[in-house]
Amino acid sequence: MRYDVAVVGLGAMGSAAAYHASARGATVIGYEAGERAHPYASSGGLSRIIRLAYFEHPSYVPLLRRAWDLWRDLERATGRTLLHATGGLYTGPADGELVSGARRSARAHGLAHEMLDADGIRARFPALAVDDGWVGLYEEQAGWLAPERAIDAHLAAAERHGAVLRFGERAALDGVAADRVVVTAGAWTGRHVPRLAPHLRVERVPLFWFEPAREVGPLPVWIMDTADGAYYGFPPDEHGLKVARHGDGDATDPDRLDRSHRPADEARIRAFLRRHLPAGDGPLRSSHVCMYTRTPDGHFVIDREGDRLVYASACSGHGFKFASVVGEILADLALGGVTRHDIAFLSASRLSGYRERDAAV
């Protein structure tokens, strides 16, 4: 049969697109090269931060508000717990990109937040050893999502609405029997949308879970802007204390990603822990390697090409939290050609102003 919509890539964005399109009565077929809700692409790792005071750009905030509501809707629809509200702290120099950007977004959109000085951060979250002179923005509406469970929830909901989902199967766009094709292939997007390939860089990003060396105490999700870049982490849970560094991973080919544990990666994280979270510097419990697919400016790409192709990817390492609303946007574009959400700043046309870069090494 011929379908209304085909979705190529059933990870974070693709699973949500399949759900939203099928929920509107469209006939949907989805293709995923890996297993169902597998952790080996960009979304694996048991937890992903969701936050509203978005330092990256104020224009993301309306999308985040909608995303939060849609995650809660998905929980109600599936009976699964996906979003854990913990509050969020973003700390570093007052004039740094993290704190100043988070404050700009909070003020622009009237987000409830609280500014803390270094002593205030230490009093509220004693495990965090912030530098003198640092400040922090704290917001209650932040927390973390369970990515593998969230993807599977979207897939299951799509199937309940009649979507046909095929796993372990790669799709060629010219062989897909559908009126519209949605490409959400993550690190492989450039192979399906050649115009994007010169502007995308796939990076290897390691994640770590530690057994705390001692009691950590209360922690929200947090991001720290340090001289060695941005580090982020989560409250400890049954898997341990998760900590990772955001950005500047080694360039890679997604089909040849080195998933091995590298002592140098761990050493860098431990150096951060010793200085800023010493209670977390205990035995390593586990590690995982995921991928970022970056654009030159660090923003997403959501756009259309011709009458048939819609795509969303290159989430630049901060996209998972948006999956619920991106799925809605992709269904809008595939079924109606337009969306009520403001995504003009994510258009692919902006990339023409950047020098081309190789997608892989």
Side-chain angles (χ1 to χ4, degrees):
M1 67 176 286
R2 188 169 183 87
Y3 293 85
D4 296 323
V5 178
V7 180
V8 178
L10 294 173
M13 308 304 174
S15 62
Y19 164 60
H20 281 283
S22 61
R24 298 180 195 182
T27 56
V28 175
I29 186 167
Y31 299 90
E32 169 56 47
E35 298 177 355
R36 184 187 188 99
H38 67 85
Y40 301 116
S42 299
S43 299
L46 302 175
S47 54
R48 287 289 185 271
I49 290 176
I50 182 168
R51 50 193 167 88
L52 269 64
Y54 218 61
F55 77 87
E56 289 87 345
H57 198 287
S59 293
Y60 285 104
V61 175
L63 299 178
L64 286 161
R65 282 175 155 158
R66 179 60 175 163
W68 185 286
D69 291 343
L70 287 171
W71 286 121
R72 291 305 194 197
D73 288 349
L74 183 62
E75 288 182 318
R76 286 187 286 270
T78 62
R80 307 187 191 192
T81 300
L82 306 172
L83 195 165
H84 303 259
T86 64
L89 176 72
Y90 325 121
T91 181
D95 59 353
E97 179 184 9
L98 174 63
V99 175
S100 63
R103 179 185 286 179
R104 181 174 65 251
S105 286
R107 288 176 171 175
H109 292 279
L111 300 176
H113 67 285
E114 180 181 359
M115 297 304 301
L116 302 172
D117 61 16
D119 287 338
I121 295 169
R122 294 168 185 144
R124 189 172 300 188
F125 308 112
L128 299 178
V130 298
D131 289 357
D132 291 336
W134 279 13
V135 299
L137 184 147
Y138 178 79
E139 62 175 343
E140 287 285 348
Q141 194 171 357
W144 61 273
L145 293 154
E148 292 89 352
R149 292 205 304 270
I151 291 170
D152 191 63
H154 269 138
L155 294 173
E159 287 172 326
R160 283 198 294 274
H161 287 288
V164 176
L165 306 180
R166 297 179 176 175
F167 300 94
E169 185 172 340
R170 295 182 182 271
L173 301 196
D174 57 2
V176 172
D179 296 332
R180 301 289 185 272
V181 179
V182 175
V183 172
T184 46
W188 293 267
T189 294
R191 300 178 187 181
H192 295 286
V193 189
R195 67 175 293 208
L196 295 182
H199 302 289
L200 305 183
R201 172 185 167 92
V202 180
E203 296 179 353
R204 176 186 180 275
V205 181
L207 315 173
F208 296 90
W209 288 259
F210 297 92
E211 184 69 35
R214 58 180 183 273
E215 178 63 35
V216 172
L219 274 183
V221 295
W222 53 267
I223 308 173
M224 280 193 186
D225 183 8
T226 78
D228 184 43
Y231 289 78
Y232 65 94
F234 301 77
D237 61 15
E238 67 271 23
H239 303 288
L241 179 71
K242 181 181 176 182
V243 182
R245 185 174 183 275
H246 177 65
D248 298 327
D250 294 338
T252 188
D253 182 315
D255 290 322
R256 296 194 294 269
L257 176 65
D258 177 8
R259 299 186 183 277
S260 66
H261 174 269
R262 296 180 182 175
D265 293 335
E266 181 184 343
R268 191 173 198 177
I269 298 294
R270 286 197 181 277
F272 166 82
L273 289 173
R274 286 193 293 271
R275 178 166 181 175
H276 292 294
L277 185 49
D281 189 21
L284 179 68
R285 291 185 61 175
S286 62
S287 63
H288 178 78
V289 173
C290 70
M291 290 180 284
Y292 286 2
T293 305
R294 289 186 176 277
T295 60
D297 60 8
H299 296 307
F300 307 164
V301 179
I302 305 176
D303 212 333
R304 302 174 61 203
E305 187 171 307
D307 294 330
R308 188 171 183 242
L309 180 62
V310 176
Y311 51 85
S313 192
C315 293
S316 299
H318 59 106
F320 187 87
K321 62 185 76 65
F322 292 89
S324 57
V325 68
V326 169
E328 182 175 67
I329 290 167
L330 292 171
D332 291 343
L333 296 177
L335 298 176
V338 296
T339 181
R340 65 182 176 84
H341 297 288
D342 181 6
I343 57 169
F345 74 112
L346 304 177
S347 168
S349 63
R350 76 181 196 278
L351 298 178
S352 62
Y354 291 91
R355 181 177 63 83
E356 292 186 355
R357 61 200 295 182
D358 290 335
V361 294

